[in-house]
Amino acid sequence: MLTLVGLGLGGPESLTQAGIAAIREATAVFAEGYTSPLLPETLVWVEQKAGRVRLLSRAEVEQPETLLAAARDGDAVLLVSGDPLSATTHVSLRIQCRETGIECCVVHNASVLTAVAGELGLQHYRFGPVATLVTPKGDYHPLSPVKRVLQNIEAGFHSLVLLDIRADDPAAEPRLMTAIEGAALLLEGGVPAGVRTCAAARVGRGDQQLWCGALDELEQAGLGEPPHSIVIPGELHFVEEEALAALQE
Amino acid sequence: MLTLVGLGLGGPESLTQAGIAAIREATAVFAEGYTSPLLPETLVWVEQKAGRVRLLSRAEVEQPETLLAAARDGDAVLLVSGDPLSATTHVSLRIQCRETGIECCVVHNASVLTAVAGELGLQHYRFGPVATLVTPKGDYHPLSPVKRVLQNIEAGFHSLVLLDIRADDPAAEPRLMTAIEGAALLLEGGVPAGVRTCAAARVGRGDQQLWCGALDELEQAGLGEPPHSIVIPGELHFVEEEALAALQE
């Protein structure tokens, strides 16, 4: 059996009882940190409970021979930040389990996809499609996600803007795009400098920070370490107005 | 202090360690089941750990004198299914805490908003705005949420369709709209009968059920007890196609 255990947003305190039970009963525990960054304190906690946690590279999740072999012979757990199945890779993994007759379970947990809006006081049903900004490589600055943001602004919808993670190599520190870098890409892609913008850092952790201001002021937000997310609000309900006003106090 | 503790999607096994710690340390534990239904086994589990859980009515969360008094004098916990702050009421509650100088903490957890898409194998960034269908009252059949679904179909986006809960009275059983009732409203509002439709029941619980077929076949899906959700997929990535094909096997 393979159990995808969602780690939620914080450290070990964010684990659910179902997640902890799966970890305790596991014959092998794996983790991947390239779809979403892992917190080192969670890995330390899990190692204390269950022994070694093996960090998988992107390639080892996409061609999951090792993972599927462990799941065929015993109870394998794959630790994933946030809520599992939010990345295509994990959906593919589940399809591969089904095709090879391996049972696959999911332990759900909190996700930035839901928590960021909630923390900012913005309503889910007012969000258009999510955009993920991709880190530029040399002269290549992919701006199509910014088009989605512009379409949402036009339609009056809020936009959740997720920021790229570069973590192909599990031996190296992942490289997380900051909100300042994200804001630069949004400006480059044509989002007006004065647009009201929210930013959230380390959502769901003890040192979470929220900010609201004009897009071109975001570099003064002082959000601290990533992970960061950006939200460009659209038309606002009066309770949403109140929530954002409280952030700007 | 007031701590909003998210209960996630399942029973007590879905509680996080942070949620359990908050419950253990609480001087008063409250729960509300009108924004999202509560599982009785979770309430029983919490009562065993922390003593009495007081069920609040809609009015008692919207005019939260009792709750704020308990939070002023001690450590109050409010249990909320899924991830707290997904309902406007909880955002208002947090604003009222800030205004009256009461600290307000949130323990995030899994939400249908993220989990349903994941379980169906659909990608979050392909979803347009969420629609919530409202239970008709007599001759009044509110169809504006269906317009949102039609706009999403037109734009090629997936639609998450949430189904209304009637739970104004905490003494009475909540009345949850079923997927069959939801499908009837979608058809009445002009969504074509043959549109490919997904339905999910009891997502994140042991007896979860998923289904995919034509909208007018949904009444044959046999999903069992609510809570149910509906998803109308838009344009599909090939991994999404594979995931839905597996559901139809």
Side-chain angles (χ1 to χ4, degrees):
Chain A
M1 181 164 83
L2 175 65
T3 307
L4 305 178
V5 172
L7 299 176
L9 300 169
E13 76 282 0
S14 297
L15 275 163
T16 65
Q17 299 203 84
I20 294 168
I23 289 165
R24 282 225 170 93
E25 289 155 22
T27 47
V29 180
F30 300 87
E32 70 83 2
Y34 83 89
T35 60
S36 191
L38 294 163
L39 280 176
E41 53 266 44
T42 307
L43 296 182
V44 169
W45 192 93
V46 174
E47 283 185 337
Q48 281 166 358
K49 297 283 162 193
R52 185 173 169 234
V53 175
R54 183 164 162 200
L55 273 180
L56 298 179
S57 67
R58 179 171 194 149
E60 287 171 308
V61 185
E62 286 176 349
Q63 285 106 40
E65 286 76 16
T66 314
L67 201 53
L68 294 184
R72 201 176 295 114
D73 301 337
D75 288 330
V77 156
L78 177 63
L79 306 175
V80 182
S81 280
D83 193 21
L85 303 179
S86 294
T88 313
T89 325
H90 304 135
V91 174
S92 295
L93 190 58
R94 200 161 63 150
I95 293 172
Q96 282 175 275
C97 281
R98 198 181 279 126
E99 283 169 354
T100 50
I102 295 168
E103 197 189 346
C104 182
C105 296
V106 178
V107 177
H108 290 284
N109 210 324
S111 167
V112 282
L113 291 163
T114 311
V116 167
E119 286 292 337
L120 292 167
L122 298 173
Q123 294 306 312
H124 294 285
Y125 64 91
R126 293 170 171 264
F127 276 78
V130 176
T132 300
L133 296 179
V134 181
T135 308
K137 261 193 180 168
D139 285 345
Y140 177 62
H141 286 212
L143 295 176
S144 62
V146 185
K147 271 193 205 148
R148 173 151 285 179
V149 175
L150 291 169
Q151 285 162 357
N152 283 340
I153 291 173
E154 180 73 26
F157 298 146
H158 307 330
S159 300
L160 172 59
V161 184
L162 300 178
L163 306 173
D164 199 14
I165 301 167
R166 292 272 145 141
D168 295 348
D169 175 8
E173 277 293 297
R175 166 88 184 77
L176 279 69
M177 189 191 288
T178 66
I180 294 176
E181 293 167 322
L185 281 173
L186 291 170
L187 290 166
E188 185 184 339
V191 179
V195 156
R196 176 146 63 169
T197 301
C198 301
R202 302 172 304 285
V203 163
R205 302 190 197 161
D207 62 346
Q208 165 181 300
Q209 274 204 55
L210 305 173
W211 175 89
C212 185
L215 179 57
D216 64 351
E217 292 166 3
L218 203 148
E219 53 189 315
Q220 298 146 39
L223 293 168
E225 291 299 305
H228 296 168
S229 311
I230 295 174
V231 172
I232 311 282
E235 288 161 21
L236 293 169
H237 180 269
F238 74 91
V239 176
E240 296 180 312
E241 276 286 6
E242 274 180 61
L244 294 190
L247 287 183
Q248 290 184 278
E249 268 167 16
Chain B
M1 181 165 81
L2 174 65
T3 307
L4 304 177
V5 172
L7 299 176
L9 301 170
E13 76 283 0
S14 298
L15 275 163
T16 64
Q17 299 203 87
I20 294 168
I23 289 165
R24 282 227 169 91
E25 288 154 24
T27 47
V29 180
F30 300 87
E32 70 82 4
Y34 82 89
T35 60
S36 189
L38 294 164
L39 280 177
E41 54 265 46
T42 306
L43 296 182
V44 169
W45 192 92
V46 174
E47 283 184 338
Q48 282 166 357
K49 299 281 162 196
R52 185 173 168 235
V53 175
R54 184 165 161 200
L55 274 180
L56 298 179
S57 68
R58 179 171 192 149
E60 287 171 311
V61 185
E62 287 176 349
Q63 284 105 43
E65 286 77 17
T66 315
L67 201 54
L68 294 184
R72 199 176 295 115
D73 301 337
D75 288 330
V77 157
L78 177 63
L79 306 175
V80 182
S81 280
D83 193 23
L85 302 180
S86 294
T88 313
T89 325
H90 304 136
V91 173
S92 294
L93 190 58
R94 201 161 61 151
I95 293 172
Q96 282 175 276
C97 280
R98 196 180 282 127
E99 282 168 355
T100 50
I102 296 168
E103 196 188 346
C104 182
C105 296
V106 179
V107 177
H108 290 283
N109 210 323
S111 167
V112 282
L113 290 162
T114 311
V116 167
E119 285 293 337
L120 292 168
L122 298 173
Q123 294 307 311
H124 294 284
Y125 64 92
R126 293 171 171 262
F127 276 77
V130 176
T132 301
L133 295 180
V134 180
T135 309
K137 261 194 180 168
D139 286 344
Y140 177 61
H141 286 213
L143 295 176
S144 61
V146 184
K147 271 194 204 144
R148 174 150 286 181
V149 175
L150 290 169
Q151 285 163 356
N152 283 340
I153 292 174
E154 179 72 27
F157 298 145
H158 308 330
S159 298
L160 173 60
V161 183
L162 299 178
L163 306 173
D164 199 14
I165 301 167
R166 291 273 146 141
D168 295 348
D169 176 7
E173 277 292 296
R175 167 87 185 77
L176 278 69
M177 188 191 288
T178 65
I180 294 177
E181 293 167 322
L185 281 172
L186 291 171
L187 289 166
E188 186 185 340
V191 180
V195 156
R196 175 143 66 169
T197 302
C198 301
R202 301 173 304 285
V203 163
R205 302 191 198 161
D207 62 347
Q208 164 181 301
Q209 273 204 52
L210 305 173
W211 175 87
C212 185
L215 178 57
D216 64 351
E217 292 167 1
L218 203 148
E219 52 189 316
Q220 299 146 39
L223 292 168
E225 291 298 305
H228 297 167
S229 311
I230 295 175
V231 171
I232 310 282
E235 289 161 20
L236 294 168
H237 180 268
F238 74 92
V239 175
E240 296 181 309
E241 277 285 8
E242 274 180 61
L244 294 191
L247 286 184
Q248 290 184 279
E249 270 168 15

